[in-house]
């Protein structure tokens, strides 16, 4: 039975069809109706391939511009020109925008994006040109470019078979095609080549944020949690409610302990909070983020507070609907 994917895979066009990337693993794509690039396409995974299905009422996107003509014959390309030519071809596919906090966004070709992982340890390179931070391990050696620090994620891109990393806080699909204007001069020739041996494919998984409140351990889909606030003591608001400030906004505070039918979380001490749908939900503890294989997740009734059940270590943990938890007790 095919599992429904929460997020669409990253697609790469190959001879004869598509390959989709889920959590860094590549899978063949079954796209019998040619809807892989349509807006809102539904995706499923049957254990061997990714299956594309048109969303109800979906219509094909407008035709894009014709691809650029082949370059005229001439001398060999410089390393920088080679990377630029490659991403020009990749630009036929929409890009991916890397958000870096207060710094300017970076738009990269979506087809060049290999994987995204937590920010790794970076080894500086004293002899590298300006704009290069150093080397890191991300399944393979990656040349990491300089950028605003700190960043929580590293986006790894493959350009002409070389691996280059850019730090970011989050990623968003963008209809515009990405380029390589962000690539510093002289950096491409230092980037390590991707290994020729294919890495072992990891089973598809879902990132879940594990928390505790009201004496109950639960999880939430990590991609639906807008932010995790460090322990803070909310202040009284109107109508005996509590409020807290976050990113320049005033958010009402709900108590996850009361919502779960247990003892209240809010008291005299500061507590961590989750930002969900424009409100802050106080919890007793945030255990952290963990990727749980889809084989260890069982769906529940979509109309209930519990969206699924997971058992990452043999212990059943409810996966709650963030929208339900954001309504409060």
């Amino acid at each position: 039975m095919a599992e429904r994917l929460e997020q669409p895979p990253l697609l790469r066009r190959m001879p004869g069809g598509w390959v989709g990337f889920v959590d860094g693993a590549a899978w063949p794509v079954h796209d019998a109706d040619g809807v892989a690039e349509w807006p809102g396409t539904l995706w499923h995974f049957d254990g061997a391939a990714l299956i594309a299905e048109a969303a109800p009422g979906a219509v094909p996107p407008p035709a894009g511009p014709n691809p650029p003509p082949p370059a005229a014959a001439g001398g060999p390309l410089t390393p920088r020109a080679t990377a630029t030519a490659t991403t020009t071809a990749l630009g036929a596919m929409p890009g991916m925008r890397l958000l870096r906090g207060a710094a300017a966004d970076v738009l990269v070709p979506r087809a060049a994006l290999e994987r995204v992982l937590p920010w790794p340890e970076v080894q500086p390179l004293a002899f590298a040109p300006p704009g290069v931070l150093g080397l890191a391990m991300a399944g393979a050696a990656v040349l990491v470019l300089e950028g605003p620090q700190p960043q929580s994620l590293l986006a790894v891109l493959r350009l002409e078979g070389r691996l280059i990393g850019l730090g970011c806080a989050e990623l968003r699909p963008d209809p515009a095609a990405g380029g390589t204007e962000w690539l510093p001069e002289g950096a491409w020739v230092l980037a390590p080549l991707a290994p020729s041996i294919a890495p072992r494919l990891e089973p598809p998984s879902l990132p879940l944020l594990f928390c505790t409140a009201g004496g109950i351990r639960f999880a939430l889909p990590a991609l639906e949690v807008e932010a995790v606030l460090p322990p803070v003591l909310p202040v009284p608001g109107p109508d005996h409610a509590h409020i807290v400030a976050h990113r320049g906004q005033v958010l009402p505070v709900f108590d996850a302990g009361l919502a779960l039918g247990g003892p209240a979380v809010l008291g005299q001490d500061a507590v961590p909070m989750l930002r969900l749908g424009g409100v802050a939900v106080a919890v007793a503890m945030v255990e952290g983020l963990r990727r749980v294989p889809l084989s260890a997740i069982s769906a529940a009734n979509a109309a209930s507070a519990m969206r699924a059940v997971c058992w990452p270590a043999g212990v059943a943990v409810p996966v709650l609907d963030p929208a339900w938890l954001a309504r409060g007790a």
Side-chain angles (χ1 to χ4, degrees):
M1 181 177 178
E3 299 275 356
R4 171 77 177 275
L5 298 184
E6 296 289 337
Q7 296 291 326
L10 297 175
L11 296 176
R12 173 172 291 175
R13 189 181 292 278
M14 303 291 287
W18 295 94
V19 169
F21 288 83
V22 177
D23 298 330
W27 301 95
V29 172
H30 288 171
D31 184 22
D33 299 324
V35 299
E37 291 187 290
W38 288 22
T41 295
L42 306 179
W43 289 92
H44 308 272
F45 179 73
D46 64 2
L50 301 171
I51 304 170
E53 176 188 351
V59 296
N66 293 327
L77 295 174
T78 64
R80 176 64 186 271
T82 302
T84 303
T86 300
T87 50
T88 298
L90 294 174
M93 181 180 290
M96 186 69 73
R97 186 169 295 276
L98 310 185
L99 307 183
R100 307 188 298 169
D105 302 344
V106 177
L107 185 61
V108 302
R110 191 184 307 180
L113 186 62
E114 282 277 298
R115 62 177 63 189
V116 180
L117 66 157
W119 181 261
E121 180 179 353
V122 179
Q123 177 68 33
L125 287 177
F127 56 84
V132 173
L133 185 61
L135 292 171
M137 290 301 299
V142 176
L143 187 74
V144 180
L145 303 185
E146 285 185 349
Q149 297 295 328
Q151 296 292 346
S152 57
L153 301 174
L154 181 70
V156 180
L157 296 101
R158 182 194 292 252
L159 299 175
E160 280 293 305
R162 297 178 182 269
L163 298 180
I164 296 175
L166 285 167
C168 62
E170 58 180 304
L171 302 89
R172 293 180 184 171
D174 196 288
T180 57
E181 298 80 6
W182 42 267
L183 186 61
E185 197 69 37
W188 187 81
V189 294
L190 286 179
L193 289 170
S196 57
I197 301 177
R200 181 178 62 86
L201 296 180
E202 299 178 358
S205 60
L206 183 68
L208 297 176
L209 183 69
F210 288 82
C211 305
T212 302
I216 297 177
R217 185 181 184 219
F218 64 93
L220 295 171
L223 297 179
E224 298 181 45
V225 178
E226 298 177 30
V228 177
L229 284 65
V232 61
L233 185 64
V235 298
D239 300 327
H240 306 287
H242 290 85
I243 57 175
V244 68
H246 181 245
R247 293 178 181 171
Q249 294 182 312
V250 176
L251 308 176
V253 177
F254 293 156
D255 194 311
L258 297 179
L260 295 171
V265 171
L266 295 173
Q268 301 299 319
D269 299 325
V271 293
M273 298 186 188
L274 311 176
R275 180 165 179 169
L276 304 174
V279 304
V281 178
V283 297
M285 181 174 61
V286 177
E287 296 182 17
L289 183 67
R290 181 172 183 175
R291 286 195 168 274
V292 180
L294 295 184
S295 59
I297 302 176
S298 178
N301 190 338
S304 68
M306 189 172 67
R307 184 179 293 181
V309 178
C310 67
W311 50 94
V315 178
V317 178
V319 181
L320 303 182
D321 183 352
W324 175 87
L325 192 62
R327 289 196 292 265

